[in-house]
Amino acid sequence: MRVDRGGLTRRSLRVVLAEDSVLLREGLIGLLGRCGHEVVAAVGDATALVAAVEEHEPDIVVTDVRMPPGFQDEGLHAAVALREKRPALPVLVLSQYVQRAYAADLLDSGGGSGVGYLLKDRVGQVAEFVDALSEVADGGTVVDPEVVRQLLRRRRDPLERLTPREREVLALVAEGKSNAAVAKALVVSEAAVGKHIGSILAKLDLPPAEETHRRVLAVLAYLRA
């Protein structure tokens, strides 16, 4: 246990930290140590994160979203998997952006308790970060306001951000047409179709990933809408 400057008594936490940036990782280790917490493992990839949790059984996990090897959403995906296996494991995610695909799954896991999602600029606000860490470890839920805004936006029609032309392109793709066939139907170049599809995938929050076929996911979003 420790007493902070405000006179509040807080318990010391055993933390597993996952962050691929060495500078930020070392900075967080120092910050957590100064706040009376123990970083029992500090790792740089999602596989090592899962192994460290199995080995150390920490009080809380603090993880980045993007980590090797793909630098997509490996950290967040690992956090969701850990929570599925250990619903009571507190997890605080730090990220430079909102990965909506898994953020909702993470926040829904474990009944929504003992989980947090903060953007990394909050780490610069030390008191806020330390308070969030303790709150999540005690079973609370801490969500960055920007994360809330983006998740609420996700619950709306996912196609509302598409232009009329992009909707036309996606409708033809949903019919099984190739880029060449779409270009012929709309009397545009294949390059133009490719640009439209790239824009569609970005607006539907479908970043490149080895495990999924983004074109299929875009069609599924169209069919659901």
Side-chain angles (χ1 to χ4, degrees):
M1 303 292 287
R2 58 179 294 275
V3 179
D4 64 17
R5 292 181 180 178
L8 297 175
T9 301
R10 299 188 184 280
R11 64 189 177 102
S12 298
L13 300 171
R14 299 175 65 258
V15 182
V16 165
L17 171 65
E19 168 60 57
D20 67 286
S21 168
V22 176
L23 288 177
L24 182 54
R25 186 166 69 235
E26 292 300 317
L28 285 170
I29 291 172
L31 172 61
L32 291 169
R34 289 193 298 275
C35 292
H37 304 304
E38 178 189 4
V39 177
V40 295
V43 300
D45 62 74
T47 301
L49 166 59
V50 174
V53 170
E54 293 290 338
E55 178 180 354
H56 297 283
E57 298 186 353
D59 297 315
I60 189 170
V61 168
V62 178
T63 182
D64 188 12
V65 169
R66 289 185 172 181
M67 286 192 290
F71 292 97
Q72 296 297 327
D73 51 20
E74 289 86 350
L76 186 51
H77 189 277
V80 171
L82 285 169
R83 292 271 291 182
E84 288 177 349
K85 186 175 181 179
R86 302 166 180 252
L89 174 67
V91 173
L92 177 59
V93 168
L94 301 176
S95 179
Q96 290 180 331
Y97 73 111
V98 181
Q99 170 44 275
R100 287 186 272 177
Y102 284 110
D105 291 339
L106 176 68
L107 295 174
D108 286 340
S109 65
S113 63
V115 64
Y117 196 129
L118 295 179
L119 298 184
K120 282 187 176 178
D121 57 6
R122 303 291 177 185
V123 179
Q125 302 173 34
V126 176
E128 184 175 345
F129 170 67
V130 173
D131 287 345
L133 184 78
S134 295
E135 185 169 347
V136 170
D138 289 338
T141 303
V142 178
V143 186
D144 193 287
E146 179 59 25
V147 176
V148 173
R149 281 193 290 272
Q150 294 207 29
L151 289 178
L152 287 174
R153 191 181 308 152
R154 179 176 182 256
R155 295 182 184 276
R156 302 171 189 161
D157 179 0
L159 306 185
E160 67 179 6
R161 286 175 284 171
L162 304 187
T163 65
R165 175 60 87 180
E166 289 167 350
R167 285 173 177 262
E168 286 182 304
V169 170
L170 184 53
L172 291 170
V173 170
E175 293 176 8
K177 295 185 183 298
S178 65
N179 283 16
V182 173
K184 183 177 180 180
L186 298 178
V187 194
V188 297
S189 68
E190 284 192 51
V193 172
K195 288 182 179 179
H196 284 311
I197 291 177
S199 177
I200 290 167
L201 296 176
K203 290 179 179 179
L204 293 181
D205 298 306
L206 297 173
E210 293 181 1
E211 298 180 357
T212 58
H213 195 306
R214 296 190 296 161
R215 195 178 180 107
V216 172
L217 294 179
V219 169
L220 290 174
Y222 173 79
L223 295 175
R224 291 192 192 103

